[in-house]
Amino acid sequence: SRLPGEMRYTLAPLDPSGEHAGRLFLERALAVAPDFESDDATTSAIVQRLGGLPLAIELVAARANVLDGPEILAQLDDIGFVADTGTTRPTRHRSLRDAIDWSRNLLDGDTRQVFDGLGVFVGSIPAAAVPDVLGHLDGVDHLAVLGELVDRSLISRGGSRGRFVMLDGIRQVAVERLADSPAAGEVADRYVDWYLELGRSAHPGLMGDRGLWWRARLDDELENLREVLMRLHGVERREDGLELLGNTWRFFQSRGHLLELEMWLDGFVKLPEEPDRRDGSIMGLMARAAILYWRQDPLGAAAIYREAIDIARDVDDRPRLAEALYGLGTSSVVADRVEEGSAALHESGELYEE
């Protein structure tokens, strides 16, 4: 996503035969290895192999702490950078892909698996989620590995504190490598579960005095939330999808995403019901009622809150019953049905005190 007024400019590759590409490579290499050595001919050959692409140059220069100039050039020659002239991809695209693959392949096994696993995230990556989402990697210091990936220019610190960003071209490599991994299914499940739990944590916060903090927190997670919702809908996990939307609707509403919220709710409601679960349905109904309330239709909202109340009573879900009664009470009062509203608010208050 971009900020209002922000514009995107496409940066052309540097001239591989010019001094700027070579200078960039040496500057980045010396930044990680002050004693790095590479003569002019070797440096020129390296940047020509990389097509003058700044990102490819940065990725390769990040290895200057373990390889000198001739060794880097030899490795680039060994893996045949830009050797496949029969492909229809432009040379600059092949150079960049080769640079990313090369940098990834030089990682040790655990670090490589963390890199691949990060491809499951969309947008920025919360450091707090990584140990859980990649929990299948026993004994790995995930935070230390993130630092190593920053040093290798495969990710960067970005956005809010404790978050990392992976550029689209790099992420595409991670996504493809993760798809080939036996752990792909487990990583995807852990990713979805982490965001479902985040929604459960956000729900009381969005209702209380930490609402501003949680809204800002979820701003950073919007792209990941959308990805999780798509994954849930794709496998027809109706109750989980409705629960996540029910837990986060106040965020969507506060950020002007009511139409999107309504679209997601309608999409999940149309999925086959899950007879063993109704908690998500209750949350989804309350979110749909809230949409009507904010559109100044308190009578319509009250009708849907009654549906949520009936299900909550049927499954004896008292916390959600209390919340649905409160919604019915406020909607009814606004609709001039004071008697019904007062009774609902009174019962809701008694349940909250339990």
Side-chain angles (χ1 to χ4, degrees):
S1 61
R2 284 181 278 172
L3 298 173
E6 184 179 349
M7 299 181 69
R8 176 179 293 170
Y9 293 91
T10 301
L11 297 178
L14 300 172
D15 180 1
S17 61
E19 63 175 325
H20 296 298
R23 184 185 306 157
L24 174 63
F25 173 76
L26 289 174
E27 287 177 353
R28 296 299 186 265
L30 290 170
V32 298
D35 59 347
F36 177 76
E37 295 183 358
S38 178
D39 59 36
D40 290 344
T42 300
T43 298
S44 177
I46 288 171
V47 297
Q48 289 194 44
R49 295 290 192 286
L50 302 176
L53 284 171
L55 177 57
I57 291 171
E58 295 231 11
L59 289 171
V60 171
R63 286 297 175 178
N65 61 339
V66 292
L67 301 170
D68 62 21
E71 289 172 329
I72 289 176
L73 181 59
Q75 289 218 8
L76 300 186
D77 286 336
D78 285 345
I79 64 174
F81 258 54
V82 201
D84 183 12
T85 56
T87 180
T88 58
R89 285 184 297 158
T91 295
R92 65 179 183 276
H93 290 169
R94 299 200 304 275
S95 299
L96 178 56
R97 176 55 183 258
D98 287 340
I100 297 169
D101 277 332
W102 178 77
S103 189
R104 174 195 174 273
N105 291 338
L106 288 177
L107 301 171
D108 65 43
D110 287 340
T111 306
R112 192 181 307 132
Q113 289 186 73
V114 171
F115 168 78
D116 295 347
L118 295 180
V120 76
F121 292 95
V122 179
S124 61
I125 302 162
V130 174
D132 291 328
V133 174
L134 304 184
H136 65 292
L137 299 174
D138 295 329
V140 173
D141 186 341
H142 296 87
L143 295 181
V145 171
L146 289 174
E148 182 179 349
L149 293 175
V150 169
D151 292 340
R152 300 287 178 257
S153 297
L154 289 169
I155 62 174
S156 60
R157 292 182 177 84
S160 302
R161 183 177 179 182
R163 303 191 72 85
F164 296 86
V165 175
M166 181 180 282
L167 295 178
D168 288 343
I170 297 176
R171 179 177 177 269
Q172 187 58 42
V173 172
V175 168
E176 292 174 8
R177 296 294 181 257
L178 178 62
D180 294 335
S181 167
E186 182 178 355
V187 171
D189 289 343
R190 286 175 172 271
Y191 170 71
V192 169
D193 289 345
W194 195 87
Y195 279 95
L196 287 173
E197 191 58 40
L198 180 69
R200 295 178 189 119
S201 299
H203 178 62
L206 289 167
M207 294 174 64
D209 56 7
R210 298 198 71 199
L212 290 176
W213 185 90
W214 271 107
R215 285 171 175 81
R217 173 79 172 80
L218 294 180
D219 279 334
D220 291 326
E221 301 293 1
L222 182 56
E223 290 181 81
N224 281 305
L225 288 172
R226 287 169 171 159
E227 174 68 15
V228 168
L229 288 166
M230 284 191 288
R231 288 172 180 260
L232 290 171
H233 192 271
V235 294
E236 298 189 348
R237 289 172 61 177
R238 182 182 192 271
E239 293 297 308
D240 282 331
L242 290 173
E243 181 194 2
L244 181 56
L245 291 165
N247 282 328
T248 57
W249 73 262
R250 288 175 175 83
F251 162 72
F252 280 92
Q253 177 270 326
S254 69
R255 294 307 191 240
H257 300 314
L258 274 181
L259 285 175
E260 179 183 1
L261 173 63
E262 189 171 30
M263 178 197 73
W264 282 118
L265 287 166
D266 288 345
F268 279 100
V269 165
K270 292 175 183 176
L271 294 177
E273 293 186 3
E274 299 176 38
D276 296 333
R277 282 190 62 186
R278 304 295 301 279
D279 53 312
S281 293
I282 300 170
M283 300 296 290
L285 284 168
M286 289 193 289
R288 294 174 71 194
I291 292 174
L292 292 177
Y293 182 89
W294 284 100
R295 287 181 173 163
Q296 300 183 352
D297 182 7
L299 285 175
I304 295 181
Y305 277 123
R306 291 189 198 98
E307 292 183 50
I309 288 167
D310 288 342
I311 298 174
R313 292 193 195 280
D314 186 50
V315 300
D316 195 27
D317 188 335
R318 299 176 77 77
R320 290 183 175 88
L321 175 58
E323 188 175 344
L325 283 165
Y326 182 83
L328 173 61
T330 54
S331 298
S332 297
V333 169
V334 171
D336 266 346
R337 296 191 173 185
V338 177
E339 185 176 349
E340 180 185 24
S342 298
L345 290 171
H346 178 74
E347 184 180 359
S348 173
E350 290 182 334
L351 288 170
Y352 277 126
E353 291 175 1
E354 289 184 355

